[in-house]
Amino acid sequence: SNPSTQNNCKVTNMTPTLQGSLVTLRPLLKTDAQLLIDAAADGELWSLPFTVVPSADTAESYIQKALQGQTEGTVMPFAVTLSSDQRVIGSTRFWKIDKENRKLEIGHTWYSQSWQKTAANTESKLLLLRYAFEQLKCVRVQFTTDVLNERSQAAILRIGAVQESIIRNERIMPDGRKRTSIRYSIIDDEWPQVRTNLERRLSSYSKEK
C-alpha cells in the first residue's frame, strides 16, 4: 500500500459484512426493497414522525440514495439480518464518512417492532463501533437524533455516547417539519470503556434467555 495514505481513515467504497451471533450486518443491495418493506411493516414504521423508514412507495429511492452515497465513499449502508436465517429485520449505516478527519456518523437505524428493545440493537452497535474504531481507525463516531425521539436519545446515552449539542432546524423531514436534533459522540479514548459496557450488556441479554 502507498505509505503516504496509511494514516488516513481506512475506508474503501466497499461495505463490509459484520457477523455477530444474533445479527449480521451485510451490505444493502439494490434488490432489498421488498425485504425492507416487509421488515418495516412489523410496526408500520414508515408512519413514525421522527425517522425516515422505507415504505412501498419509497423503498426503491431509499436504497438508490444509500447506494449513491456508497459509490461516492461517504456512506456504508447495511441490512440488519438475523444470523440464524438471514431474515432482514432492519437497516443502519455509516454515513457522513470523512476519511481525512477519520470520523463518521452511525444513523438511519431502524428495526422491526418485534426486534426493538432486544439484544439486536446492542449487538449491531457493538459490531459497528468495533469496525469504526478498530478497523477504520476512526477518532470520532457521532449520532444525531430527533429532539422528539426520546427512546432513541435514551438508547444512545445507554451505549455510552456523550451529548454534545442541540442543533436547531438540522434537517427538513418528509412532512415538511423543521427538525431540531441532538448530537452525541464517542471518541477513540472512550471506546475501550464503551466496548466493555456493550459486551457486558450483551452477555446479560444472553443470561436472561
Side-chain angles (χ1 to χ4, degrees):
S1 66
N2 179 346
S4 67
T5 61
Q6 272 178 358
N7 289 332
N8 280 355
C9 188
K10 296 176 170 57
V11 176
T12 65
N13 291 15
M14 294 291 292
T15 301
T17 295
L18 308 178
Q19 175 85 44
S21 54
L22 174 65
V23 293
T24 297
L25 278 52
R26 64 153 174 83
L28 187 67
L29 304 172
K30 207 172 183 176
T31 50
D32 281 336
Q34 192 56 52
L35 298 175
L36 292 184
I37 295 163
D38 292 346
D42 176 2
E44 296 189 3
L45 304 181
W46 47 75
S47 58
L48 291 172
F50 39 67
T51 313
V52 178
V53 178
S55 65
D57 295 335
T58 62
E60 301 277 350
S61 59
Y62 178 92
I63 292 172
Q64 190 179 347
K65 192 173 176 185
L67 296 182
Q68 184 186 333
Q70 180 176 260
T71 303
E72 292 164 0
T74 59
V75 178
M76 288 184 182
F78 298 93
V80 182
T81 69
L82 295 179
S83 299
S84 56
D85 62 5
Q86 283 76 63
R87 180 156 60 90
V88 173
I89 61 162
S91 185
T92 190
R93 71 188 63 165
F94 292 135
W95 68 308
K96 298 184 182 174
I97 295 170
D98 178 343
K99 297 177 192 181
E100 194 177 340
N101 294 301
R102 287 162 55 195
K103 62 178 184 170
L104 52 78
E105 181 163 327
I106 294 174
H108 293 269
T109 303
W110 56 271
Y111 301 94
S112 300
Q113 191 167 5
S114 50
W115 286 96
Q116 292 171 16
K117 291 188 169 174
T118 69
N121 183 43
T122 307
E123 189 173 53
S124 289
K125 289 297 186 289
L126 178 60
L127 293 169
L128 289 165
L129 288 165
R130 196 163 62 196
Y131 191 81
F133 285 114
E134 297 177 14
Q135 301 299 315
L136 302 180
K137 305 298 183 194
C138 287
V139 300
R140 170 188 171 83
V141 173
Q142 70 180 30
F143 303 84
T144 308
T145 192
D146 196 315
V147 73
L148 301 180
N149 192 347
E150 291 176 1
R151 178 188 280 190
S152 172
Q153 293 160 37
I156 292 168
L157 288 170
R158 268 201 308 275
I159 292 169
V162 174
Q163 182 178 328
E164 290 183 332
S165 55
I166 292 174
I167 310 160
R168 299 175 303 159
N169 290 3
E170 189 256 343
R171 69 186 73 167
I172 296 174
M173 299 302 281
D175 64 359
R177 176 172 64 91
K178 290 178 276 194
R179 170 178 136 166
T180 292
S181 296
I182 307 180
R183 178 150 295 155
Y184 305 81
S185 70
I186 298 168
I187 59 172
D188 50 351
D189 295 348
E190 296 160 349
W191 165 238
Q193 186 60 56
V194 169
R195 178 179 175 156
T196 300
N197 292 346
L198 281 168
E199 287 170 346
R200 193 177 296 141
R201 283 185 55 209
L202 255 189
S203 66
S204 72
Y205 272 118
S206 51
K207 285 192 187 85
E208 282 168 24
K209 288 202 167 75

